[in-house]
Each structure stands twice: as C-alpha cells, then as structure tokens.
Amino acid sequence: MQTVSSVLDSISDVGRDASRGGYSRGVFTHAELSLREWFSAEATARGLAVETDRNGILWAWWDATDTRDGALVTGSHLDSVPGGGAFDGPLGVASALVAVDLLRGRGVQPNRSLAVAVFPEEEGSRFGVSCLGSRLLTGTLDPDHVRSLVDADGTTFADAARSGGIDVDHLGRDEEAARRIGDFVELHVEQGRGLIDLDSAVAIGSTMLGHGRWRLSVTGQGNHAGTTLMVDRADPMIAAAQVVLAARRIAAEQDGARATVGRLQPVPGGTNVIASRVDLWLDVRHEDDAITAQLIEKIHGQAQKICAFEGCRAALTEESRSSTVHFDGALQRTLSNALGTSFPGAPTLPTGAGHDAGILATIAPTAMLFVRNPTGISHSPEEFVERDDADAGATALADVLEDLL
C-alpha cells in the first residue's frame, strides 16, 4: 500500500515554479489539468468511479448503495497560490486516496456511498475568487459573473474552463451535487504552528475565520518619469503605497484582525513611466463579520483621503467574502470519539485560512482535520509536513470515515 508521501512524490515535478520557488498550479492551467488527470488515474486504479460535475468538481465514488444522496464526502483541492507549497490542497487529496486503501485493508464494508472530491480554484489565485467551485455548487456565485472573470493574461474563466472540458453554459447551483453531500470531512495541512506547540500530529477544526477579498483601484495621471516634476504628479503608486501601510495600521489596532496586500499591479507597469492606475488586492479577516466590514470601511475611507491628497481617485470592488464558520458541533464530537483510540486527546484548533469545508457548511455538516506543520509556514515553498505525520493524518481520516460509514 502506498504512503501519503509516496503519492505526493508522484506529482512533485508538476507545476514547479522556477522563478518563485514552490509550485504554481492555477486552475485549468497545464499543471492543474495534469493533476486532475493524475487524480482520475489514481482513483480509477482504486476502483473508484470518476466523474466531473457541471462546475468542474471531480468526484471519485466508492458506492455501497443504490443512491448517492447523503453520501460521506472527503477531499480537498489541487490548485495552488503562486509559488505555493507542496501540501496545501494535495495533502488532503492524497490522504483521502490512502484512507480508501486503509479502509479496504481493514475490510470495511460501507453502509453509505463514499466520495473523494476535488474542488477547482479553491485558492482563487487565477481568477480572484476563492473556493469558486464550491461557491458555484452552493449557488452563492452568479454563473454569468464567473464566466466573465478574467485572469492576468486576459483569459476569461469561460475559455479556461472550456480548455478543461467544462460546458460553461451549465455553471451554477447544482441541486443534485448538493444532495449528494451528507457529511463532508476535509483534511488539510495546518497553516500555522499550533500543533507543533501542542505536540500533536493531528487536530480537529473548530472554526474558520471570516474573510474576504477586495480590489482597490487607484487612478492618477500617467506620465513620463523624467520630464514630470515631482510637484506636478498625481502618482497612484504613491497613494497605493500609503494605503498598504494604512491597512496594516488599521488592522493592528483591532484585536484578532488581519489585513494583507499580497498583490499590487501598476498600469502600464513601465520602469520609466508614472503609472496611470494601480490595482491592489486587500485580504481582510476577523472572526466577527461586523468587524471585518468595519475594517474595510475604515481602510476604504483612509484610501479616499490619501488619494484626494495625492490628486488621485480610489474605487473599491468586493471580489469575494465568507462569513466566520463554526464547524458542525455534532460532527466534531464524532471525530473526537473516532480518534479516541489512535489519537486520544486530539486538540481542536481554529483556522485563519479559508477552505471549501467552510462554503459547504451552508448545505451539509462539515468538519476538518489538520495535520502538523512544523514550520508553521504556508502559502510558501517552506510549507512542510513530516512523512510520519502525513501517514498519521491519513490514518486519522480513515478512522473518522470508518466511524461515519
């Protein structure tokens, strides 16, 4: 039987990013499409029936009943942030496949259908909307809006999805797929260092921090870098730089808040050109959704003042938002009981990251398992999981699935 590490080793060369380090596996790029083919092959080799739904979600079925309604579903995603680590997403997929192996090795005969699911564009790194696949499934995204989303190269989501074999005319809420999910358990690499300090290989998720993404477009006057006097400039880059600092200051004044500008794009982007516009993307998070809204309002208000002083204009657009999620209490208790023998006293931990399990919580009971990350670093090539911990995570997932089957 394969280990989780050996499964991950088989995709270790897919999507390597020579300039950033780590992996860049944007949805429906060559790398991500290769991983989708890899998953289908791995699932088929295990006797699972693979299908793709109307929103590009992959389902690999181990059927035990005549109906798939109310099935037990596990899985994660295969796309990555630019220059991301090897475990964010793929660890959950590989662990689900190994958990199926473990269940069969134990002679488990399921009393309900089991599926391993792979959700596209969880990171939102190509088209700007996180958990896009699960949002489409649950009906929280307008399909027309999704079809018109454009990546940095000008490719629409519609064209990219077609390249992946998706009929984009049928994107949107999928009642059939929603009925399939009776319970959803997602295993994920820990994106912090709680478990290393608790000396535990696995934890059960308790809550998922509310968060959102906003694009702030700062418009000024494009001009020549050599002929335009400093006093004559309306430079949006200067305003944007001050907005970045203001966002950090405003978040630091609020306990438990996070505000990040991880992407900034000047237009036209020439070295000897004063930009005409600068787009920056804000990621803001807090457990209280009302405070998240207040933080955005404060940052936007400060941006307006900064831009007015610099002779520029600011326009804010919301790209996605997720409320704080409290994972299903009964399912958490079931997970704790299932882990009682192999992982007694497994801790519960909140997560500041977003996950498909949080989106699916609107239609079904969901839960999460986290696997120790000794570096505490994620969304970076330094993200790491020890081989023994990866196998421990798969064992924990198998224990949980066996109990729920």
Side-chain angles (χ1 to χ4, degrees):
M1 187 183 71
Q2 289 181 289
T3 64
V4 175
S5 294
S6 67
V7 175
L8 290 174
D9 286 345
S10 68
I11 58 172
S12 61
D13 291 330
V14 179
R16 282 193 177 274
D17 192 318
S19 60
R20 299 183 181 95
Y23 296 90
S24 292
R25 297 162 167 170
V27 68
F28 301 132
T29 61
H30 176 73
E32 199 259 359
L33 290 173
S34 295
L35 292 180
R36 290 167 69 89
E37 291 178 2
W38 163 83
F39 171 76
S40 295
E42 287 284 337
T44 300
R46 289 169 168 80
L48 305 181
V50 181
E51 58 186 63
T52 305
D53 72 13
R54 61 196 294 179
N55 295 308
I57 302 167
L58 292 170
W59 301 80
W61 289 96
W62 178 7
D63 275 327
T65 62
D66 293 333
T67 178
R68 292 173 176 176
D69 289 358
L72 175 58
V73 183
T74 186
S76 194
H77 62 97
L78 292 170
D79 64 304
S80 77
V81 298
F87 300 94
D88 182 355
L91 178 69
V93 176
S95 297
L97 293 170
V98 172
V100 169
D101 296 339
L102 290 169
L103 291 172
R104 284 186 167 145
R106 297 174 185 177
V108 172
Q109 296 297 322
N111 293 314
R112 64 194 291 202
S113 297
L114 172 68
V116 179
V118 175
F119 295 88
E121 185 71 331
E122 191 270 356
E123 298 291 1
S125 61
R126 185 173 181 186
F127 292 100
V129 180
S130 62
C131 299
L132 186 146
S134 53
R135 289 180 194 272
L136 282 171
L137 183 156
T138 56
T140 58
L141 279 179
D142 178 0
D144 288 333
H145 171 66
V146 172
R147 280 186 280 266
S148 66
L149 292 172
V150 179
D151 71 6
D153 296 323
T155 302
T156 65
F157 181 86
D159 286 341
R162 287 190 190 100
S163 73
I166 308 302
D167 181 354
V168 297
D169 292 336
H170 294 94
L171 295 177
R173 180 168 175 82
D174 190 335
E175 297 289 350
E176 179 184 357
R179 287 195 305 270
R180 289 171 167 181
I181 305 173
D183 297 290
F184 180 73
V185 180
E186 181 174 2
L187 180 145
H188 204 277
V189 60
E190 181 194 17
Q191 295 175 288
R193 54 170 296 111
L195 285 171
I196 191 69
D197 293 333
L198 292 169
D199 192 28
S200 178
V202 297
I204 298 166
S206 57
T207 59
M208 190 183 84
L209 201 63
H211 62 284
R213 296 181 184 186
W214 290 261
R215 182 178 75 252
L216 184 69
S217 294
V218 181
T219 305
Q221 177 60 61
N223 216 327
H224 194 291
T227 62
T228 310
L229 298 177
M230 301 304 287
V231 295
D232 294 334
R233 299 184 178 203
D235 187 345
M237 184 64 79
I238 300 301
Q242 294 178 66
V243 171
V244 173
L245 296 175
R248 182 181 70 168
R249 174 181 54 78
I250 290 168
E253 292 170 350
Q254 176 66 58
D255 288 344
R258 284 90 150 156
T260 306
V261 176
R263 180 183 171 201
L264 186 148
Q265 183 173 313
V267 178
T271 304
N272 59 346
V273 179
I274 299 169
S276 59
R277 188 181 82 245
V278 175
D279 293 329
L280 59 89
W281 282 262
L282 277 165
D283 181 305
V284 179
R285 307 182 187 224
H286 193 275
E287 65 179 358
D288 186 329
D289 298 330
I291 291 178
T292 300
Q294 292 170 13
L295 289 167
I296 283 296
E297 185 177 351
K298 287 181 181 179
I299 294 169
H300 187 208
Q302 191 62 34
Q304 296 282 9
K305 292 179 182 178
I306 291 168
C307 288
F309 182 81
E310 296 293 342
C312 298
R313 301 180 303 279
L316 186 70
T317 304
E318 180 180 308
E319 293 195 337
S320 67
R321 191 191 302 214
S322 299
S323 298
T324 291
V325 173
H326 297 270
F327 293 115
D328 187 82
L331 195 51
Q332 284 185 56
R333 291 188 290 274
T334 297
L335 265 63
S336 182
N337 292 334
L339 300 179
T341 300
S342 300
F343 302 93
T348 58
L349 288 177
T351 177
H355 302 282
D356 290 305
I359 304 301
L360 298 176
T362 62
I363 62 169
T366 65
M368 293 196 71
L369 289 171
F370 297 117
V371 178
R372 178 166 49 196
N373 175 356
T375 67
I377 296 171
S378 188
H379 283 188
S380 164
E382 296 168 81
E383 179 182 86
F384 188 64
V385 174
E386 298 281 359
R387 289 177 177 263
D388 287 347
D389 283 352
D391 289 335
T395 298
L397 180 59
D399 291 346
V400 166
L401 296 178
E402 182 175 1
D403 190 82
L404 290 166
L405 287 170

